Amino acid sequence: MGAVGAPGPAQGSVTPGAVGPGPGAVLLSLIPTNRFNKHRTTPGVHTSDISPLLKDPVAFRTLIDLLEDHVKASFPKIDFIVGLDSRGFLIGTPLAQRLGIGFVPVRKKGKLPGATESISYSLEYGKAELEIQSDALEPGQKVVVVDDLLATGGTMCAACELLKRLKAEILECLVIIELKALKGSEKLNSIPFYSLLQYD
């Protein structure tokens, strides 16, 4: 398991358009690597395109295989996978099913019924708000937080704050793609972090 802010033994430093060591290289061998290169859909917004993984059933199955292998090897007991709105749902639900555990969504404001905990946070392009149902987790339950991308880390940090309010134990934050130049993982402080693919 990689420490916060630095690749661990299971992570391979992958530059855009090149296959590097580690499990991420398996994904890059299956799909066009240029589709993962960081780009901006809005000025100041950093993102990457995971649609090739979703379109290709072999690549998507391989992705879930890799995440399942990592989580099983790292943590003997997990209660829930927590997925971030919205691409974290696409990854987190099949991963939870593979692991035989439940899935908990963290959603954008106004999307969840019932009582919720909410948090406002800053993005590259303004403000946003996340919510989780107040009874989604019990104190001490162990969770892994899943999303597709870590850029500046604002959304992931906000989700972790919500989980701390519910007194959940965050085992790790897990993403497919990390944009390392933005240093988002450093904002997670002591929370363990893992990414399959890393770009500068």
Side-chain angles (χ1 to χ4, degrees):
M1 174 172 54
V4 174
Q11 291 176 295
S13 181
V14 180
T15 56
V19 176
V26 178
L27 288 180
L28 293 180
S29 69
L30 294 172
I31 56 177
T33 59
N34 66 307
R35 292 296 295 274
F36 277 126
N37 294 354
K38 66 180 181 182
H39 62 279
R40 298 185 181 187
T41 54
T42 304
V45 180
H46 297 81
T47 185
S48 288
D49 184 7
I50 67 164
S51 57
L53 280 176
L54 304 178
K55 287 178 62 178
D56 187 320
V58 174
F60 188 70
R61 184 171 61 249
T62 300
L63 168 66
I64 303 304
D65 287 344
L66 292 171
L67 297 179
E68 178 189 12
D69 290 347
H70 164 73
V71 172
K72 282 184 173 178
S74 301
F75 308 109
K77 184 181 187 306
I78 307 171
D79 294 303
F80 291 99
I81 295 294
V82 174
L84 306 191
D85 197 344
S86 61
R87 289 183 290 271
F89 301 168
L90 301 175
I91 306 157
T93 47
L95 177 60
Q97 184 184 49
R98 288 279 194 93
L99 296 169
I101 59 177
F103 175 83
V104 173
V106 171
R107 299 219 62 185
K108 296 171 185 173
K109 181 177 175 60
K111 300 293 186 180
L112 290 171
T116 61
E117 291 284 336
S118 64
I119 186 171
S120 297
Y121 64 102
S122 297
L123 292 169
E124 302 99 312
Y125 51 90
K127 298 281 189 178
E129 193 166 352
L130 290 179
E131 292 184 327
I132 189 171
Q133 289 177 313
S134 300
D135 61 356
L137 297 165
E138 297 178 2
Q141 288 188 312
K142 303 176 187 295
V143 302
V144 170
V145 188
V146 175
D147 204 3
D148 66 322
L149 173 75
L150 187 79
T152 62
T155 302
M156 186 69 78
C157 287
C160 288
E161 178 58 33
L162 285 177
L163 294 169
K164 290 176 183 177
R165 292 182 189 178
L166 298 185
K167 296 182 171 56
E169 181 181 346
I170 305 169
L171 300 176
E172 184 175 72
C173 294
L174 174 63
V175 301
I176 304 173
I177 302 167
E178 176 189 6
L179 303 183
K180 292 184 69 66
L182 300 179
K183 301 181 179 180
S185 62
E186 295 179 6
K187 297 178 182 178
L188 296 173
N189 297 319
S190 60
I191 299 174
F193 173 75
Y194 181 86
S195 59
L196 279 175
L197 299 169
Q198 304 84 40
Y199 292 98
D200 293 325

